[in-house]
Amino acid sequence: MKNLIRKVPHLLPVALLALTLIGSQPALAQEAGDHQYTSEAIETGSRLYAQQCALCHGPQGDVVDGVNLRIGQFPTVQSDDDLRQVVTQGAAEGRMPAFSLRAEELDGVIAFIRAGFDPDGVAVKIGDPVRGKALFDGEGQCADCHRVRGVGPRTAPDLSNIGSIRTPAALQRNMLDPAAALFPINRPVRIVTRNEETIVGRRLNEDTYTVQIVDSNERLRSLKKSDLVTYEISNEPSKQPTTLSSDEVADVIGYLLTLRGL
Ligand code: HEC
Ligand code: HEC
């Protein structure tokens, strides 16, 4: 009983915080479901794959040279529409035949591939990288904060290699629910030094005695903790969930996946 009473005061603020977070952005929040294929689709695709594709591509999707369907390694395919086109029109001068499938079978086999052949996996929709780049630089306002291939500010993480370090599901979560996707180390900080300088920025690294940040003027700063009067770390992400539509988010993910180093 004593234990229970001691726990309650800790739980209450957490519950309230969760409520305010949920309550604060109802208009912007998008359902992840609009951006992903359903588990029924993955299931349908799994059956169709076993019947029609496994023959050549193998149960793990890695039998045809240069193609690994499970981990998404394709000679030419990028977007889900590219996948649809290959399946409905065939490939490699007829070595892969054209399939005529019902719409839900076609969606299903794409869902199964995007889920990494995992019936419990997340099958994120992936759109057109060219449209995605235009949205990234324009309406999506991503380029206002992010740097890609040497262009853009340094206030947010450089995304030049993001396609090789994050999964489509992680990229999607960052856009739809930045609070949930926030890495502890990336949190916004507000610091006041002994010299009465106020520094607002993003934390890059921290050890027992020092903290490294990028300040609001994009300067890299390393500060001794003993010189700091105030050091506040925010749990709020520095951005709002995107207002782009689900198709547009899919396009931006398509673009981000093409960013694989310089
Ligand atoms: C008769 C054998 C055969 C069957 C059946 C087959 N494929 Fe293929 N598939 C191939 C060959 C061969 C390639 C070409 C690899 C290349 O371009 O060098 C290929 C390529 C692909 C690619 C990569 C295309 C690209 O250019 O990026 C995808 C995706 C693909 N197949 C999906 C499927 C799916 C899904 C099915 C079942 C609906 C399927 N394949 C059935 C033989 C087959
Ligand atoms: C107001 C500035 C701002 C805008 C606008 C913005 N971001 Fe971010 N983004 C950040 C900051 C700061 C972080 C690092 C904190 C975090 O992890 O959330 C971040 C993190 C990310 C990450 C995670 C990086 C990683 O290492 O995993 C991705 C991906 C990303 N943003 C993509 C986008 C895309 C795509 C858009 C446009 C739809 C966008 N951002 C718009 C500021 C911004």
Side-chain angles (χ1 to χ4, degrees), residues 93-129:
E93 279 123 28
R95 282 186 296 131
M96 171 166 161
F99 291 83
S100 100
L101 303 177
R102 286 182 287 124
E104 62 270 27
E105 292 173 326
L106 188 55
D107 271 358
V109 79
I110 289 159
F112 180 65
I113 291 171
R114 291 306 191 196
F117 286 26
D118 176 359
D120 302 319
V122 179
V124 169
K125 293 181 182 170
I126 299 177
D128 176 52

mmCIF file of all heavy atoms in Angstrom, residues 93-129:
data_model
loop_
_atom_site.group_PDB
_atom_site.id
_atom_site.type_symbol
_atom_site.label_atom_id
_atom_site.label_comp_id
_atom_site.label_asym_id
_atom_site.label_seq_id
_atom_site.Cartn_x
_atom_site.Cartn_y
_atom_site.Cartn_z
ATOM 1 N N GLU A 93 13.343 -7.789 -70.411
ATOM 2 C CA GLU A 93 12.972 -8.328 -71.728
ATOM 3 C C GLU A 93 12.232 -9.659 -71.652
ATOM 4 O O GLU A 93 12.564 -10.606 -72.359
ATOM 5 C CB GLU A 93 14.211 -8.470 -72.614
ATOM 6 C CG GLU A 93 14.627 -7.174 -73.280
ATOM 7 C CD GLU A 93 16.067 -6.810 -72.916
ATOM 8 O OE1 GLU A 93 16.849 -7.734 -72.643
ATOM 9 O OE2 GLU A 93 16.375 -5.606 -72.897
ATOM 10 N N GLY A 94 11.258 -9.700 -70.742
ATOM 11 C CA GLY A 94 10.409 -10.884 -70.684
ATOM 12 C C GLY A 94 10.918 -12.005 -69.802
ATOM 13 O O GLY A 94 10.213 -12.992 -69.586
ATOM 14 N N ARG A 95 12.140 -11.870 -69.270
ATOM 15 C CA ARG A 95 12.596 -12.912 -68.346
ATOM 16 C C ARG A 95 11.717 -12.895 -67.097
ATOM 17 O O ARG A 95 11.539 -13.903 -66.438
ATOM 18 C CB ARG A 95 14.079 -12.728 -67.979
ATOM 19 C CG ARG A 95 15.004 -13.225 -69.095
ATOM 20 C CD ARG A 95 16.463 -13.178 -68.670
ATOM 21 N NE ARG A 95 16.876 -11.793 -68.429
ATOM 22 C CZ ARG A 95 17.516 -11.396 -67.333
ATOM 23 N NH1 ARG A 95 17.845 -12.250 -66.398
ATOM 24 N NH2 ARG A 95 17.850 -10.127 -67.201
ATOM 25 N N MET A 96 11.188 -11.729 -66.755
ATOM 26 C CA MET A 96 10.109 -11.675 -65.769
ATOM 27 C C MET A 96 8.829 -11.352 -66.522
ATOM 28 O O MET A 96 8.729 -10.323 -67.183
ATOM 29 C CB MET A 96 10.369 -10.601 -64.704
ATOM 30 C CG MET A 96 9.140 -10.390 -63.817
ATOM 31 S SD MET A 96 9.507 -9.471 -62.331
ATOM 32 C CE MET A 96 7.843 -8.941 -61.879
ATOM 33 N N PRO A 97 7.830 -12.254 -66.454
ATOM 34 C CA PRO A 97 6.598 -12.026 -67.217
ATOM 35 C C PRO A 97 5.750 -10.914 -66.615
ATOM 36 O O PRO A 97 5.950 -10.527 -65.480
ATOM 37 C CB PRO A 97 5.871 -13.369 -67.091
ATOM 38 C CG PRO A 97 6.340 -13.948 -65.803
ATOM 39 C CD PRO A 97 7.766 -13.482 -65.636
ATOM 40 N N ALA A 98 4.805 -10.399 -67.419
ATOM 41 C CA ALA A 98 3.822 -9.435 -66.906
ATOM 42 C C ALA A 98 2.721 -10.211 -66.189
ATOM 43 O O ALA A 98 2.289 -11.246 -66.660
ATOM 44 C CB ALA A 98 3.235 -8.634 -68.070
ATOM 45 N N PHE A 99 2.284 -9.701 -65.050
ATOM 46 C CA PHE A 99 1.219 -10.355 -64.296
ATOM 47 C C PHE A 99 -0.042 -9.522 -64.404
ATOM 48 O O PHE A 99 0.014 -8.302 -64.336
ATOM 49 C CB PHE A 99 1.599 -10.464 -62.816
ATOM 50 C CG PHE A 99 2.712 -11.428 -62.562
ATOM 51 C CD1 PHE A 99 4.040 -11.044 -62.726
ATOM 52 C CD2 PHE A 99 2.448 -12.736 -62.156
ATOM 53 C CE1 PHE A 99 5.077 -11.928 -62.498
ATOM 54 C CE2 PHE A 99 3.487 -13.630 -61.928
ATOM 55 C CZ PHE A 99 4.797 -13.226 -62.097
ATOM 56 N N SER A 100 -1.187 -10.224 -64.592
ATOM 57 C CA SER A 100 -2.416 -9.437 -64.505
ATOM 58 C C SER A 100 -3.121 -9.801 -63.204
ATOM 59 O O SER A 100 -3.620 -10.908 -63.027
ATOM 60 C CB SER A 100 -3.266 -9.632 -65.765
ATOM 61 O OG SER A 100 -4.289 -10.539 -65.560
ATOM 62 N N LEU A 101 -3.078 -8.859 -62.275
ATOM 63 C CA LEU A 101 -3.559 -9.108 -60.921
ATOM 64 C C LEU A 101 -4.733 -8.197 -60.605
ATOM 65 O O LEU A 101 -4.860 -7.118 -61.189
ATOM 66 C CB LEU A 101 -2.446 -8.821 -59.900
ATOM 67 C CG LEU A 101 -1.135 -9.586 -60.059
ATOM 68 C CD1 LEU A 101 -0.128 -9.126 -59.019
ATOM 69 C CD2 LEU A 101 -1.352 -11.087 -59.950
ATOM 70 N N ARG A 102 -5.578 -8.627 -59.667
ATOM 71 C CA ARG A 102 -6.612 -7.747 -59.165
ATOM 72 C C ARG A 102 -5.947 -6.662 -58.306
ATOM 73 O O ARG A 102 -4.847 -6.860 -57.778
ATOM 74 C CB ARG A 102 -7.622 -8.535 -58.327
ATOM 75 C CG ARG A 102 -8.553 -9.402 -59.196
ATOM 76 C CD ARG A 102 -9.567 -10.142 -58.336
ATOM 77 N NE ARG A 102 -8.931 -11.231 -57.606
ATOM 78 C CZ ARG A 102 -8.971 -11.378 -56.283
ATOM 79 N NH1 ARG A 102 -9.606 -10.496 -55.526
ATOM 80 N NH2 ARG A 102 -8.376 -12.404 -55.699
ATOM 81 N N ALA A 103 -6.641 -5.516 -58.176
ATOM 82 C CA ALA A 103 -6.049 -4.366 -57.457
ATOM 83 C C ALA A 103 -5.559 -4.758 -56.066
ATOM 84 O O ALA A 103 -4.468 -4.364 -55.645
ATOM 85 C CB ALA A 103 -7.060 -3.232 -57.366
ATOM 86 N N GLU A 104 -6.370 -5.575 -55.337
ATOM 87 C CA GLU A 104 -5.945 -5.883 -53.956
ATOM 88 C C GLU A 104 -4.785 -6.876 -53.933
ATOM 89 O O GLU A 104 -3.996 -6.888 -53.005
ATOM 90 C CB GLU A 104 -7.120 -6.341 -53.076
ATOM 91 C CG GLU A 104 -7.830 -7.601 -53.485
ATOM 92 C CD GLU A 104 -9.001 -7.328 -54.431
ATOM 93 O OE1 GLU A 104 -8.975 -6.301 -55.166
ATOM 94 O OE2 GLU A 104 -9.938 -8.143 -54.443
ATOM 95 N N GLU A 105 -4.664 -7.673 -55.000
ATOM 96 C CA GLU A 105 -3.509 -8.565 -55.070
ATOM 97 C C GLU A 105 -2.223 -7.762 -55.339
ATOM 98 O O GLU A 105 -1.171 -8.012 -54.755
ATOM 99 C CB GLU A 105 -3.694 -9.599 -56.191
ATOM 100 C CG GLU A 105 -4.796 -10.606 -55.907
ATOM 101 C CD GLU A 105 -5.075 -11.513 -57.120
ATOM 102 O OE1 GLU A 105 -4.960 -11.035 -58.274
ATOM 103 O OE2 GLU A 105 -5.401 -12.687 -56.892
ATOM 104 N N LEU A 106 -2.363 -6.785 -56.236
ATOM 105 C CA LEU A 106 -1.215 -5.937 -56.574
ATOM 106 C C LEU A 106 -0.770 -5.129 -55.346
ATOM 107 O O LEU A 106 0.418 -5.126 -54.980
ATOM 108 C CB LEU A 106 -1.619 -5.012 -57.726
ATOM 109 C CG LEU A 106 -0.514 -4.173 -58.365
ATOM 110 C CD1 LEU A 106 0.632 -5.046 -58.853
ATOM 111 C CD2 LEU A 106 -1.081 -3.346 -59.523
ATOM 112 N N ASP A 107 -1.741 -4.478 -54.684
ATOM 113 C CA ASP A 107 -1.412 -3.756 -53.444
ATOM 114 C C ASP A 107 -0.781 -4.714 -52.434
ATOM 115 O O ASP A 107 0.170 -4.361 -51.735
ATOM 116 C CB ASP A 107 -2.678 -3.157 -52.806
ATOM 117 C CG ASP A 107 -2.965 -1.765 -53.345
ATOM 118 O OD1 ASP A 107 -2.167 -1.265 -54.167
ATOM 119 O OD2 ASP A 107 -3.994 -1.190 -52.942
ATOM 120 N N GLY A 108 -1.348 -5.920 -52.369
ATOM 121 C CA GLY A 108 -0.874 -6.906 -51.392
ATOM 122 C C GLY A 108 0.583 -7.270 -51.598
ATOM 123 O O GLY A 108 1.377 -7.280 -50.653
ATOM 124 N N VAL A 109 0.965 -7.539 -52.849
ATOM 125 C CA VAL A 109 2.336 -7.992 -53.073
ATOM 126 C C VAL A 109 3.315 -6.842 -52.801
ATOM 127 O O VAL A 109 4.417 -7.054 -52.279
ATOM 128 C CB VAL A 109 2.513 -8.643 -54.473
ATOM 129 C CG1 VAL A 109 2.647 -7.621 -55.574
ATOM 130 C CG2 VAL A 109 3.701 -9.594 -54.473
ATOM 131 N N ILE A 110 2.880 -5.616 -53.083
ATOM 132 C CA ILE A 110 3.724 -4.450 -52.753
ATOM 133 C C ILE A 110 3.834 -4.301 -51.234
ATOM 134 O O ILE A 110 4.922 -4.079 -50.693
ATOM 135 C CB ILE A 110 3.158 -3.183 -53.410
ATOM 136 C CG1 ILE A 110 3.383 -3.287 -54.911
ATOM 137 C CG2 ILE A 110 3.815 -1.927 -52.860
ATOM 138 C CD1 ILE A 110 2.496 -2.410 -55.731
ATOM 139 N N ALA A 111 2.698 -4.465 -50.545
ATOM 140 C CA ALA A 111 2.712 -4.381 -49.073
ATOM 141 C C ALA A 111 3.667 -5.424 -48.490
ATOM 142 O O ALA A 111 4.458 -5.121 -47.591
ATOM 143 C CB ALA A 111 1.304 -4.597 -48.531
ATOM 144 N N PHE A 112 3.604 -6.652 -49.037
ATOM 145 C CA PHE A 112 4.457 -7.734 -48.527
ATOM 146 C C PHE A 112 5.938 -7.405 -48.723
ATOM 147 O O PHE A 112 6.766 -7.597 -47.827
ATOM 148 C CB PHE A 112 4.081 -9.038 -49.246
ATOM 149 C CG PHE A 112 4.881 -10.228 -48.817
ATOM 150 C CD1 PHE A 112 4.789 -10.721 -47.517
ATOM 151 C CD2 PHE A 112 5.718 -10.869 -49.721
ATOM 152 C CE1 PHE A 112 5.535 -11.831 -47.127
ATOM 153 C CE2 PHE A 112 6.464 -11.977 -49.338
ATOM 154 C CZ PHE A 112 6.371 -12.469 -48.043
ATOM 155 N N ILE A 113 6.267 -6.854 -49.886
ATOM 156 C CA ILE A 113 7.659 -6.461 -50.162
ATOM 157 C C ILE A 113 8.069 -5.305 -49.242
ATOM 158 O O ILE A 113 9.130 -5.334 -48.615
ATOM 159 C CB ILE A 113 7.823 -6.064 -51.652
ATOM 160 C CG1 ILE A 113 7.684 -7.310 -52.539
ATOM 161 C CG2 ILE A 113 9.165 -5.373 -51.897
ATOM 162 C CD1 ILE A 113 7.602 -7.010 -54.038
ATOM 163 N N ARG A 114 7.205 -4.287 -49.105
ATOM 164 C CA ARG A 114 7.546 -3.130 -48.260
ATOM 165 C C ARG A 114 7.618 -3.494 -46.793
ATOM 166 O O ARG A 114 8.292 -2.822 -46.006
ATOM 167 C CB ARG A 114 6.534 -1.997 -48.464
ATOM 168 C CG ARG A 114 6.585 -1.319 -49.824
ATOM 169 C CD ARG A 114 7.963 -0.812 -50.190
ATOM 170 N NE ARG A 114 7.958 0.057 -51.375
ATOM 171 C CZ ARG A 114 9.033 0.372 -52.077
ATOM 172 N NH1 ARG A 114 10.229 -0.105 -51.743
ATOM 173 N NH2 ARG A 114 8.949 1.164 -53.126
ATOM 174 N N ALA A 115 6.925 -4.550 -46.378
ATOM 175 C CA ALA A 115 6.981 -4.989 -44.980
ATOM 176 C C ALA A 115 8.209 -5.868 -44.733
ATOM 177 O O ALA A 115 8.372 -6.420 -43.646
ATOM 178 C CB ALA A 115 5.716 -5.747 -44.606
ATOM 179 N N GLY A 116 9.060 -6.014 -45.750
ATOM 180 C CA GLY A 116 10.259 -6.834 -45.585
ATOM 181 C C GLY A 116 9.944 -8.310 -45.408
ATOM 182 O O GLY A 116 10.660 -9.013 -44.707
ATOM 183 N N PHE A 117 8.850 -8.762 -46.054
ATOM 184 C CA PHE A 117 8.406 -10.151 -46.000
ATOM 185 C C PHE A 117 7.954 -10.551 -44.598
ATOM 186 O O PHE A 117 7.840 -11.730 -44.290
ATOM 187 C CB PHE A 117 9.505 -11.129 -46.466
ATOM 188 C CG PHE A 117 9.747 -11.150 -47.954
ATOM 189 C CD1 PHE A 117 9.469 -10.058 -48.759
ATOM 190 C CD2 PHE A 117 10.276 -12.292 -48.558
ATOM 191 C CE1 PHE A 117 9.697 -10.092 -50.132
ATOM 192 C CE2 PHE A 117 10.517 -12.339 -49.925
ATOM 193 C CZ PHE A 117 10.229 -11.235 -50.709
ATOM 194 N N ASP A 118 7.717 -9.573 -43.726
ATOM 195 C CA ASP A 118 7.364 -9.873 -42.339
ATOM 196 C C ASP A 118 5.872 -9.642 -42.152
ATOM 197 O O ASP A 118 5.393 -8.514 -42.271
ATOM 198 C CB ASP A 118 8.166 -8.937 -41.420
ATOM 199 C CG ASP A 118 7.783 -9.101 -39.947
ATOM 200 O OD1 ASP A 118 6.891 -9.924 -39.647
ATOM 201 O OD2 ASP A 118 8.385 -8.392 -39.126
ATOM 202 N N PRO A 119 5.094 -10.714 -41.876
ATOM 203 C CA PRO A 119 3.642 -10.574 -41.735
ATOM 204 C C PRO A 119 3.261 -9.558 -40.657
ATOM 205 O O PRO A 119 2.204 -8.933 -40.732
ATOM 206 C CB PRO A 119 3.160 -11.967 -41.336
ATOM 207 C CG PRO A 119 4.325 -12.879 -41.455
ATOM 208 C CD PRO A 119 5.568 -12.081 -41.633
ATOM 209 N N ASP A 120 4.134 -9.352 -39.656
ATOM 210 C CA ASP A 120 3.850 -8.370 -38.601
ATOM 211 C C ASP A 120 4.579 -7.052 -38.839
ATOM 212 O O ASP A 120 4.625 -6.184 -37.971
ATOM 213 C CB ASP A 120 4.273 -8.918 -37.228
ATOM 214 C CG ASP A 120 3.559 -10.218 -36.908
ATOM 215 O OD1 ASP A 120 2.352 -10.305 -37.194
ATOM 216 O OD2 ASP A 120 4.221 -11.151 -36.407
ATOM 217 N N GLY A 121 5.177 -6.923 -40.027
ATOM 218 C CA GLY A 121 5.998 -5.737 -40.294
ATOM 219 C C GLY A 121 5.163 -4.508 -40.619
ATOM 220 O O GLY A 121 3.944 -4.574 -40.772
ATOM 221 N N VAL A 122 5.844 -3.372 -40.711
ATOM 222 C CA VAL A 122 5.197 -2.118 -41.088
ATOM 223 C C VAL A 122 5.493 -1.879 -42.566
ATOM 224 O O VAL A 122 6.650 -1.877 -42.973
ATOM 225 C CB VAL A 122 5.767 -0.948 -40.258
ATOM 226 C CG1 VAL A 122 5.113 0.368 -40.673
ATOM 227 C CG2 VAL A 122 5.565 -1.203 -38.780
ATOM 228 N N ALA A 123 4.437 -1.717 -43.367
ATOM 229 C CA ALA A 123 4.627 -1.514 -44.797
ATOM 230 C C ALA A 123 4.308 -0.068 -45.150
ATOM 231 O O ALA A 123 3.178 0.297 -45.443
ATOM 232 C CB ALA A 123 3.741 -2.476 -45.589
ATOM 233 N N VAL A 124 5.347 0.764 -45.090
ATOM 234 C CA VAL A 124 5.206 2.191 -45.351
ATOM 235 C C VAL A 124 5.084 2.436 -46.850
ATOM 236 O O VAL A 124 5.792 1.817 -47.647
ATOM 237 C CB VAL A 124 6.443 2.931 -44.794
ATOM 238 C CG1 VAL A 124 6.491 4.365 -45.259
ATOM 239 C CG2 VAL A 124 6.446 2.861 -43.274
ATOM 240 N N LYS A 125 4.161 3.315 -47.240
ATOM 241 C CA LYS A 125 4.018 3.659 -48.660
ATOM 242 C C LYS A 125 5.179 4.546 -49.106
ATOM 243 O O LYS A 125 5.549 5.481 -48.402
ATOM 244 C CB LYS A 125 2.695 4.381 -48.896
ATOM 245 C CG LYS A 125 1.497 3.478 -48.664
ATOM 246 C CD LYS A 125 0.185 4.185 -48.933
ATOM 247 C CE LYS A 125 -0.973 3.232 -48.619
ATOM 248 N NZ LYS A 125 -2.268 3.917 -48.621
ATOM 249 N N ILE A 126 5.744 4.243 -50.252
ATOM 250 C CA ILE A 126 6.886 4.996 -50.757
ATOM 251 C C ILE A 126 6.552 5.586 -52.116
ATOM 252 O O ILE A 126 6.201 4.876 -53.047
ATOM 253 C CB ILE A 126 8.139 4.084 -50.826
ATOM 254 C CG1 ILE A 126 8.454 3.597 -49.404
ATOM 255 C CG2 ILE A 126 9.319 4.841 -51.429
ATOM 256 C CD1 ILE A 126 9.594 2.643 -49.306
ATOM 257 N N GLY A 127 6.642 6.915 -52.179
ATOM 258 C CA GLY A 127 6.212 7.624 -53.377
ATOM 259 C C GLY A 127 7.365 8.001 -54.291
ATOM 260 O O GLY A 127 8.447 7.419 -54.227
ATOM 261 N N ASP A 128 7.118 9.014 -55.091
ATOM 262 C CA ASP A 128 8.025 9.401 -56.163
ATOM 263 C C ASP A 128 9.113 10.361 -55.656
ATOM 264 O O ASP A 128 8.794 11.449 -55.168
ATOM 265 C CB ASP A 128 7.203 10.062 -57.270
ATOM 266 C CG ASP A 128 8.081 10.588 -58.375
ATOM 267 O OD1 ASP A 128 8.912 9.806 -58.868
ATOM 268 O OD2 ASP A 128 7.963 11.777 -58.725
ATOM 269 N N PRO A 129 10.409 9.980 -55.781
ATOM 270 C CA PRO A 129 11.488 10.815 -55.245
ATOM 271 C C PRO A 129 11.585 12.195 -55.891
ATOM 272 O O PRO A 129 11.985 13.154 -55.216
ATOM 273 C CB PRO A 129 12.768 10.013 -55.544
ATOM 274 C CG PRO A 129 12.353 8.710 -56.085
ATOM 275 C CD PRO A 129 10.888 8.726 -56.373
#
